[in-house]
Amino acid sequence: MVCPIETTVNLIGDKWKVLIMRDLLLRGTHRFGELKKGITGISEKMLTQQLRDLEQNGLISRKVYSEIPPRVEYSVTELGNSLRPIFDAMHVWGTDYLQKSDEKSE
């Protein structure tokens, strides 16, 4: 039997995928360059690979505009948007953790 948690981790458990999904869920549709600027430390090659994986798994969509130069936009699919409660919970937990860490260091 396949574990549902393992499936979720396999789909979004990579550091870069989480940050890509964060940006698309919080800020909406982005172009490649906007995503690269918003994710500190990611290379173009890694961003391309992660975007392809997320698209292949149905979590994001890629729209190519026939312009010169070509414009490509990435957005969250309906399936990807179903991850929003998970990201909301991670945000709440992270905020709480940071507050508790600050209290310990005072």
Side-chain angles (χ1 to χ4, degrees):
M1 181 173 179
V2 177
C3 172
I5 293 173
E6 182 178 349
T7 299
T8 305
V9 168
N10 287 337
L11 289 171
I12 63 164
D14 181 273
K15 168 187 174 180
W16 301 121
K17 287 178 184 168
V18 169
L19 297 178
I20 292 166
M21 291 300 296
R22 172 205 64 189
D23 282 1
L24 293 175
L25 283 167
L26 293 177
R27 298 183 191 102
T29 301
H30 276 60
R31 293 176 68 177
F32 184 89
E34 295 168 331
L35 285 168
K36 181 149 179 11
K37 285 179 190 172
I39 303 171
T40 305
I42 193 167
S43 68
E44 286 190 19
K45 180 180 177 182
M46 182 58 70
L47 179 56
T48 299
Q49 180 183 348
Q50 299 301 300
L51 288 167
R52 284 182 183 153
D53 286 351
L54 289 167
E55 182 182 13
Q56 184 178 5
N57 289 317
L59 300 177
I60 66 169
S61 64
R62 178 179 185 262
K63 184 172 183 179
V64 180
Y65 295 88
S66 54
E67 301 173 352
I68 298 175
R71 178 171 51 120
V72 179
E73 292 181 340
Y74 297 91
S75 57
V76 176
T77 62
E78 187 176 333
L79 179 61
N81 197 48
S82 69
L83 290 166
R84 188 175 298 277
I86 294 169
F87 280 80
D88 290 345
M90 289 170 60
H91 183 269
V92 169
W93 188 90
T95 300
D96 187 50
Y97 175 82
L98 291 171
Q99 287 174 345
K100 288 178 180 175
S101 293
D102 286 346
E103 291 169 7
K104 282 183 180 180
S105 64
E106 290 178 354

